[in-house]
Amino acid sequence: NAGVTQTPKFRILKIGQSMTLQCTQDMNHNYMYWYRQDPGMGLKLIYYSVGAGITDKGEVPNGYNVSRSTTEDFPLRLELAAPSQTSVYFCASSSGSWKDTQYFGPGTRLTVL
Amino acid sequence: DAKTTQPPSMDCAEGRAANLPCNHSTISGNEYVYWYRQIHSQGPQYIIHGLKNNETNEMASLIITEDRKSSTLILPHATLRDTAVYYCIVRFTSGTYKYIFGTGTRLKVLA
């Protein structure tokens, strides 16, 4: 049981490039989330999903897109990378029950130059 | 979702109890209090949560005041490995289960 896995661990992008951050969970959780964390700050919710085919915006969705075609996978897409998107990105999942707790992946450190 | 207020930093001597306070004065009756911690730059780790009763598990104890406007996370015997940023979060008992993270308390355990 690997939990939540994220790839890649590190990435450097040039301004205007695009990329997809991958997130996979093997706990059969319905709910999945993407957060970003800027240096010295708390986590900000980008997008979340309550099940396959259902996604919704969080606090800071601009510049990102998501899709959820399967229960296991929740990729995050950056279309036109900007320096303001330099951050650490965390994916999380949860069961969605009343005693719900979120399980986080190890993060992807992204630098846009 | 209710907002939380935490002190930005605290120190604790190794082996002593660490008491981390959190204010959530606008909490509503159907919101849980959750605590997570983040060690260095790893993903946050769940510690404990509660609704209105005090809770204890193998990691920590959670004390919630009777009016639910504040809570305290207690690490009974802090070790150097407990040095981390601790986040207090409130969220609804149903719905989208979204968390709103603040900036947390940076706990430093001193040898």
Side-chain angles (χ1 to χ4, degrees), chain A residues 21-44:
Chain A
L21 283 67
Q22 301 291 346
C23 175
T24 300
Q25 53 93 8
D26 62 0
M27 296 174 281
N28 200 33
H29 284 165
N30 287 322
Y31 289 63
M32 295 187 75
Y33 312 81
W34 274 106
Y35 296 89
R36 60 175 286 172
Q37 185 175 35
D38 298 333
M41 305 296 288
L43 281 72
K44 297 286 188 185

PDB file of all heavy atoms in Angstrom, chain A residues 21-44:
ATOM      1  N   LEU A  21       1.623  17.521 -13.441  1.00  0.00           N
ATOM      2  CA  LEU A  21       2.040  16.892 -12.199  1.00  0.00           C
ATOM      3  C   LEU A  21       1.115  15.695 -11.964  1.00  0.00           C
ATOM      4  O   LEU A  21      -0.116  15.840 -11.989  1.00  0.00           O
ATOM      5  CB  LEU A  21       1.930  17.860 -11.019  1.00  0.00           C
ATOM      6  CG  LEU A  21       3.028  18.923 -10.866  1.00  0.00           C
ATOM      7  CD1 LEU A  21       2.997  19.931 -12.003  1.00  0.00           C
ATOM      8  CD2 LEU A  21       2.886  19.637  -9.526  1.00  0.00           C
ATOM      9  N   GLN A  22       1.740  14.550 -11.738  1.00  0.00           N
ATOM     10  CA  GLN A  22       0.950  13.332 -11.580  1.00  0.00           C
ATOM     11  C   GLN A  22       0.705  13.025 -10.104  1.00  0.00           C
ATOM     12  O   GLN A  22       1.560  13.270  -9.251  1.00  0.00           O
ATOM     13  CB  GLN A  22       1.673  12.149 -12.225  1.00  0.00           C
ATOM     14  CG  GLN A  22       1.964  12.311 -13.706  1.00  0.00           C
ATOM     15  CD  GLN A  22       0.715  12.282 -14.563  1.00  0.00           C
ATOM     16  OE1 GLN A  22      -0.377  11.891 -14.124  1.00  0.00           O
ATOM     17  NE2 GLN A  22       0.845  12.721 -15.820  1.00  0.00           N
ATOM     18  N   CYS A  23      -0.477  12.494  -9.815  1.00  0.00           N
ATOM     19  CA  CYS A  23      -0.845  12.078  -8.466  1.00  0.00           C
ATOM     20  C   CYS A  23      -1.663  10.799  -8.558  1.00  0.00           C
ATOM     21  O   CYS A  23      -2.646  10.747  -9.320  1.00  0.00           O
ATOM     22  CB  CYS A  23      -1.642  13.156  -7.751  1.00  0.00           C
ATOM     23  SG  CYS A  23      -2.244  12.650  -6.122  1.00  0.00           S
ATOM     24  N   THR A  24      -1.276   9.803  -7.793  1.00  0.00           N
ATOM     25  CA  THR A  24      -1.986   8.523  -7.767  1.00  0.00           C
ATOM     26  C   THR A  24      -2.140   8.063  -6.330  1.00  0.00           C
ATOM     27  O   THR A  24      -1.213   8.175  -5.539  1.00  0.00           O
ATOM     28  CB  THR A  24      -1.204   7.455  -8.554  1.00  0.00           C
ATOM     29  OG1 THR A  24      -1.056   7.880  -9.915  1.00  0.00           O
ATOM     30  CG2 THR A  24      -1.925   6.123  -8.515  1.00  0.00           C
ATOM     31  N   GLN A  25      -3.338   7.536  -6.020  1.00  0.00           N
ATOM     32  CA  GLN A  25      -3.552   6.965  -4.686  1.00  0.00           C
ATOM     33  C   GLN A  25      -4.127   5.564  -4.835  1.00  0.00           C
ATOM     34  O   GLN A  25      -4.910   5.285  -5.750  1.00  0.00           O
ATOM     35  CB  GLN A  25      -4.467   7.858  -3.836  1.00  0.00           C
ATOM     36  CG  GLN A  25      -5.791   8.239  -4.448  1.00  0.00           C
ATOM     37  CD  GLN A  25      -6.954   7.324  -4.110  1.00  0.00           C
ATOM     38  OE1 GLN A  25      -6.835   6.411  -3.257  1.00  0.00           O
ATOM     39  NE2 GLN A  25      -8.085   7.556  -4.755  1.00  0.00           N
ATOM     40  N   ASP A  26      -3.736   4.681  -3.900  1.00  0.00           N
ATOM     41  CA  ASP A  26      -4.170   3.286  -3.977  1.00  0.00           C
ATOM     42  C   ASP A  26      -5.050   2.902  -2.798  1.00  0.00           C
ATOM     43  O   ASP A  26      -5.109   1.727  -2.409  1.00  0.00           O
ATOM     44  CB  ASP A  26      -2.951   2.360  -4.092  1.00  0.00           C
ATOM     45  CG  ASP A  26      -2.030   2.439  -2.873  1.00  0.00           C
ATOM     46  OD1 ASP A  26      -2.329   3.201  -1.943  1.00  0.00           O
ATOM     47  OD2 ASP A  26      -1.001   1.732  -2.878  1.00  0.00           O
ATOM     48  N   MET A  27      -5.718   3.875  -2.199  1.00  0.00           N
ATOM     49  CA  MET A  27      -6.558   3.632  -1.034  1.00  0.00           C
ATOM     50  C   MET A  27      -8.047   3.642  -1.388  1.00  0.00           C
ATOM     51  O   MET A  27      -8.900   3.625  -0.499  1.00  0.00           O
ATOM     52  CB  MET A  27      -6.255   4.694   0.034  1.00  0.00           C
ATOM     53  CG  MET A  27      -4.832   4.604   0.552  1.00  0.00           C
ATOM     54  SD  MET A  27      -4.361   5.933   1.668  1.00  0.00           S
ATOM     55  CE  MET A  27      -4.038   7.250   0.503  1.00  0.00           C
ATOM     56  N   ASN A  28      -8.364   3.727  -2.670  1.00  0.00           N
ATOM     57  CA  ASN A  28      -9.740   3.749  -3.159  1.00  0.00           C
ATOM     58  C   ASN A  28     -10.525   4.928  -2.561  1.00  0.00           C
ATOM     59  O   ASN A  28     -11.725   4.818  -2.283  1.00  0.00           O
ATOM     60  CB  ASN A  28     -10.456   2.424  -2.847  1.00  0.00           C
ATOM     61  CG  ASN A  28     -11.674   2.218  -3.744  1.00  0.00           C
ATOM     62  OD1 ASN A  28     -11.685   2.631  -4.898  1.00  0.00           O
ATOM     63  ND2 ASN A  28     -12.703   1.583  -3.202  1.00  0.00           N
ATOM     64  N   HIS A  29      -9.828   6.059  -2.384  1.00  0.00           N
ATOM     65  CA  HIS A  29     -10.480   7.248  -1.842  1.00  0.00           C
ATOM     66  C   HIS A  29     -11.249   7.982  -2.927  1.00  0.00           C
ATOM     67  O   HIS A  29     -10.772   8.144  -4.053  1.00  0.00           O
ATOM     68  CB  HIS A  29      -9.442   8.191  -1.244  1.00  0.00           C
ATOM     69  CG  HIS A  29      -8.923   7.744   0.088  1.00  0.00           C
ATOM     70  ND1 HIS A  29      -7.782   8.270   0.657  1.00  0.00           N
ATOM     71  CD2 HIS A  29      -9.402   6.833   0.968  1.00  0.00           C
ATOM     72  CE1 HIS A  29      -7.593   7.700   1.834  1.00  0.00           C
ATOM     73  NE2 HIS A  29      -8.559   6.823   2.040  1.00  0.00           N
ATOM     74  N   ASN A  30     -12.427   8.468  -2.560  1.00  0.00           N
ATOM     75  CA  ASN A  30     -13.220   9.241  -3.518  1.00  0.00           C
ATOM     76  C   ASN A  30     -12.699  10.671  -3.670  1.00  0.00           C
ATOM     77  O   ASN A  30     -12.769  11.254  -4.738  1.00  0.00           O
ATOM     78  CB  ASN A  30     -14.684   9.293  -3.076  1.00  0.00           C
ATOM     79  CG  ASN A  30     -15.380   7.962  -3.270  1.00  0.00           C
ATOM     80  OD1 ASN A  30     -15.138   7.262  -4.247  1.00  0.00           O
ATOM     81  ND2 ASN A  30     -16.236   7.606  -2.339  1.00  0.00           N
ATOM     82  N   TYR A  31     -12.215  11.255  -2.587  1.00  0.00           N
ATOM     83  CA  TYR A  31     -11.849  12.659  -2.589  1.00  0.00           C
ATOM     84  C   TYR A  31     -10.352  12.823  -2.823  1.00  0.00           C
ATOM     85  O   TYR A  31      -9.530  12.126  -2.211  1.00  0.00           O
ATOM     86  CB  TYR A  31     -12.209  13.309  -1.247  1.00  0.00           C
ATOM     87  CG  TYR A  31     -13.683  13.495  -1.021  1.00  0.00           C
ATOM     88  CD1 TYR A  31     -14.548  12.422  -0.932  1.00  0.00           C
ATOM     89  CD2 TYR A  31     -14.209  14.773  -0.882  1.00  0.00           C
ATOM     90  CE1 TYR A  31     -15.909  12.604  -0.718  1.00  0.00           C
ATOM     91  CE2 TYR A  31     -15.564  14.969  -0.662  1.00  0.00           C
ATOM     92  CZ  TYR A  31     -16.409  13.879  -0.577  1.00  0.00           C
ATOM     93  OH  TYR A  31     -17.748  14.070  -0.372  1.00  0.00           O
ATOM     94  N   MET A  32     -10.030  13.750  -3.711  1.00  0.00           N
ATOM     95  CA  MET A  32      -8.611  14.082  -3.943  1.00  0.00           C
ATOM     96  C   MET A  32      -8.455  15.591  -4.051  1.00  0.00           C
ATOM     97  O   MET A  32      -9.399  16.302  -4.430  1.00  0.00           O
ATOM     98  CB  MET A  32      -8.086  13.381  -5.196  1.00  0.00           C
ATOM     99  CG  MET A  32      -8.068  11.858  -5.066  1.00  0.00           C
ATOM    100  SD  MET A  32      -7.274  11.002  -6.438  1.00  0.00           S
ATOM    101  CE  MET A  32      -5.531  11.336  -6.094  1.00  0.00           C
ATOM    102  N   TYR A  33      -7.249  16.063  -3.698  1.00  0.00           N
ATOM    103  CA  TYR A  33      -7.018  17.504  -3.570  1.00  0.00           C
ATOM    104  C   TYR A  33      -5.629  17.857  -4.100  1.00  0.00           C
ATOM    105  O   TYR A  33      -4.697  17.059  -4.001  1.00  0.00           O
ATOM    106  CB  TYR A  33      -7.067  17.934  -2.096  1.00  0.00           C
ATOM    107  CG  TYR A  33      -8.239  17.415  -1.306  1.00  0.00           C
ATOM    108  CD1 TYR A  33      -8.234  16.125  -0.792  1.00  0.00           C
ATOM    109  CD2 TYR A  33      -9.342  18.222  -1.049  1.00  0.00           C
ATOM    110  CE1 TYR A  33      -9.299  15.644  -0.051  1.00  0.00           C
ATOM    111  CE2 TYR A  33     -10.419  17.754  -0.301  1.00  0.00           C
ATOM    112  CZ  TYR A  33     -10.386  16.463   0.191  1.00  0.00           C
ATOM    113  OH  TYR A  33     -11.452  15.995   0.928  1.00  0.00           O
ATOM    114  N   TRP A  34      -5.503  19.073  -4.620  1.00  0.00           N
ATOM    115  CA  TRP A  34      -4.203  19.641  -4.948  1.00  0.00           C
ATOM    116  C   TRP A  34      -4.017  20.932  -4.159  1.00  0.00           C
ATOM    117  O   TRP A  34      -4.896  21.812  -4.153  1.00  0.00           O
ATOM    118  CB  TRP A  34      -4.084  19.956  -6.437  1.00  0.00           C
ATOM    119  CG  TRP A  34      -3.632  18.814  -7.264  1.00  0.00           C
ATOM    120  CD1 TRP A  34      -4.377  18.058  -8.103  1.00  0.00           C
ATOM    121  CD2 TRP A  34      -2.301  18.287  -7.347  1.00  0.00           C
ATOM    122  NE1 TRP A  34      -3.603  17.094  -8.697  1.00  0.00           N
ATOM    123  CE2 TRP A  34      -2.320  17.214  -8.249  1.00  0.00           C
ATOM    124  CE3 TRP A  34      -1.081  18.627  -6.738  1.00  0.00           C
ATOM    125  CZ2 TRP A  34      -1.186  16.468  -8.573  1.00  0.00           C
ATOM    126  CZ3 TRP A  34       0.040  17.892  -7.053  1.00  0.00           C
ATOM    127  CH2 TRP A  34      -0.021  16.827  -7.962  1.00  0.00           C
ATOM    128  N   TYR A  35      -2.834  21.026  -3.504  1.00  0.00           N
ATOM    129  CA  TYR A  35      -2.457  22.209  -2.755  1.00  0.00           C
ATOM    130  C   TYR A  35      -1.130  22.732  -3.301  1.00  0.00           C
ATOM    131  O   TYR A  35      -0.325  21.985  -3.840  1.00  0.00           O
ATOM    132  CB  TYR A  35      -2.237  21.894  -1.279  1.00  0.00           C
ATOM    133  CG  TYR A  35      -3.438  21.425  -0.508  1.00  0.00           C
ATOM    134  CD1 TYR A  35      -3.759  20.072  -0.445  1.00  0.00           C
ATOM    135  CD2 TYR A  35      -4.234  22.325   0.193  1.00  0.00           C
ATOM    136  CE1 TYR A  35      -4.852  19.635   0.289  1.00  0.00           C
ATOM    137  CE2 TYR A  35      -5.322  21.900   0.934  1.00  0.00           C
ATOM    138  CZ  TYR A  35      -5.626  20.557   0.973  1.00  0.00           C
ATOM    139  OH  TYR A  35      -6.709  20.134   1.710  1.00  0.00           O
ATOM    140  N   ARG A  36      -0.895  24.013  -3.081  1.00  0.00           N
ATOM    141  CA  ARG A  36       0.435  24.571  -3.279  1.00  0.00           C
ATOM    142  C   ARG A  36       0.881  25.234  -1.981  1.00  0.00           C
ATOM    143  O   ARG A  36       0.049  25.731  -1.203  1.00  0.00           O
ATOM    144  CB  ARG A  36       0.471  25.575  -4.434  1.00  0.00           C
ATOM    145  CG  ARG A  36      -0.422  26.779  -4.286  1.00  0.00           C
ATOM    146  CD  ARG A  36      -0.211  27.769  -5.432  1.00  0.00           C
ATOM    147  NE  ARG A  36       1.049  28.507  -5.294  1.00  0.00           N
ATOM    148  CZ  ARG A  36       1.545  29.320  -6.222  1.00  0.00           C
ATOM    149  NH1 ARG A  36       0.904  29.498  -7.363  1.00  0.00           N
ATOM    150  NH2 ARG A  36       2.684  29.958  -6.013  1.00  0.00           N
ATOM    151  N   GLN A  37       2.198  25.203  -1.774  1.00  0.00           N
ATOM    152  CA  GLN A  37       2.755  25.812  -0.574  1.00  0.00           C
ATOM    153  C   GLN A  37       3.936  26.674  -0.960  1.00  0.00           C
ATOM    154  O   GLN A  37       4.976  26.173  -1.403  1.00  0.00           O
ATOM    155  CB  GLN A  37       3.190  24.746   0.437  1.00  0.00           C
ATOM    156  CG  GLN A  37       3.671  25.336   1.749  1.00  0.00           C
ATOM    157  CD  GLN A  37       3.971  24.282   2.782  1.00  0.00           C
ATOM    158  OE1 GLN A  37       4.439  23.202   2.461  1.00  0.00           O
ATOM    159  NE2 GLN A  37       3.709  24.586   4.055  1.00  0.00           N
ATOM    160  N   ASP A  38       3.804  27.969  -0.774  1.00  0.00           N
ATOM    161  CA  ASP A  38       4.887  28.905  -1.025  1.00  0.00           C
ATOM    162  C   ASP A  38       5.765  28.986   0.219  1.00  0.00           C
ATOM    163  O   ASP A  38       5.310  28.687   1.340  1.00  0.00           O
ATOM    164  CB  ASP A  38       4.320  30.275  -1.374  1.00  0.00           C
ATOM    165  CG  ASP A  38       3.493  30.224  -2.645  1.00  0.00           C
ATOM    166  OD1 ASP A  38       3.751  29.338  -3.495  1.00  0.00           O
ATOM    167  OD2 ASP A  38       2.572  31.052  -2.789  1.00  0.00           O
ATOM    168  N   PRO A  39       7.012  29.395   0.083  1.00  0.00           N
ATOM    169  CA  PRO A  39       7.952  29.404   1.204  1.00  0.00           C
ATOM    170  C   PRO A  39       7.418  30.136   2.434  1.00  0.00           C
ATOM    171  O   PRO A  39       6.965  31.276   2.334  1.00  0.00           O
ATOM    172  CB  PRO A  39       9.187  30.109   0.626  1.00  0.00           C
ATOM    173  CG  PRO A  39       9.115  29.833  -0.842  1.00  0.00           C
ATOM    174  CD  PRO A  39       7.655  29.830  -1.192  1.00  0.00           C
ATOM    175  N   GLY A  40       7.457  29.466   3.585  1.00  0.00           N
ATOM    176  CA  GLY A  40       7.045  30.078   4.843  1.00  0.00           C
ATOM    177  C   GLY A  40       5.551  30.238   5.018  1.00  0.00           C
ATOM    178  O   GLY A  40       5.105  30.857   5.989  1.00  0.00           O
ATOM    179  N   MET A  41       4.791  29.677   4.092  1.00  0.00           N
ATOM    180  CA  MET A  41       3.336  29.856   4.141  1.00  0.00           C
ATOM    181  C   MET A  41       2.642  28.522   4.373  1.00  0.00           C
ATOM    182  O   MET A  41       3.248  27.461   4.247  1.00  0.00           O
ATOM    183  CB  MET A  41       2.839  30.476   2.826  1.00  0.00           C
ATOM    184  CG  MET A  41       3.521  31.766   2.442  1.00  0.00           C
ATOM    185  SD  MET A  41       3.205  33.074   3.633  1.00  0.00           S
ATOM    186  CE  MET A  41       1.494  33.425   3.279  1.00  0.00           C
ATOM    187  N   GLY A  42       1.336  28.590   4.673  1.00  0.00           N
ATOM    188  CA  GLY A  42       0.543  27.379   4.769  1.00  0.00           C
ATOM    189  C   GLY A  42       0.125  26.895   3.389  1.00  0.00           C
ATOM    190  O   GLY A  42       0.489  27.486   2.374  1.00  0.00           O
ATOM    191  N   LEU A  43      -0.607  25.820   3.352  1.00  0.00           N
ATOM    192  CA  LEU A  43      -1.034  25.250   2.086  1.00  0.00           C
ATOM    193  C   LEU A  43      -2.285  25.964   1.569  1.00  0.00           C
ATOM    194  O   LEU A  43      -3.176  26.294   2.353  1.00  0.00           O
ATOM    195  CB  LEU A  43      -1.349  23.760   2.248  1.00  0.00           C
ATOM    196  CG  LEU A  43      -0.169  22.799   2.289  1.00  0.00           C
ATOM    197  CD1 LEU A  43       0.605  22.905   3.586  1.00  0.00           C
ATOM    198  CD2 LEU A  43      -0.639  21.361   2.087  1.00  0.00           C
ATOM    199  N   LYS A  44      -2.333  26.164   0.263  1.00  0.00           N
ATOM    200  CA  LYS A  44      -3.491  26.763  -0.389  1.00  0.00           C
ATOM    201  C   LYS A  44      -4.115  25.734  -1.334  1.00  0.00           C
ATOM    202  O   LYS A  44      -3.407  25.114  -2.131  1.00  0.00           O
ATOM    203  CB  LYS A  44      -3.092  27.998  -1.204  1.00  0.00           C
ATOM    204  CG  LYS A  44      -2.520  29.129  -0.379  1.00  0.00           C
ATOM    205  CD  LYS A  44      -3.590  29.836   0.405  1.00  0.00           C
ATOM    206  CE  LYS A  44      -3.028  31.096   1.077  1.00  0.00           C
ATOM    207  NZ  LYS A  44      -4.039  31.746   1.950  1.00  0.00           N
TER     208      LYS A  44
END
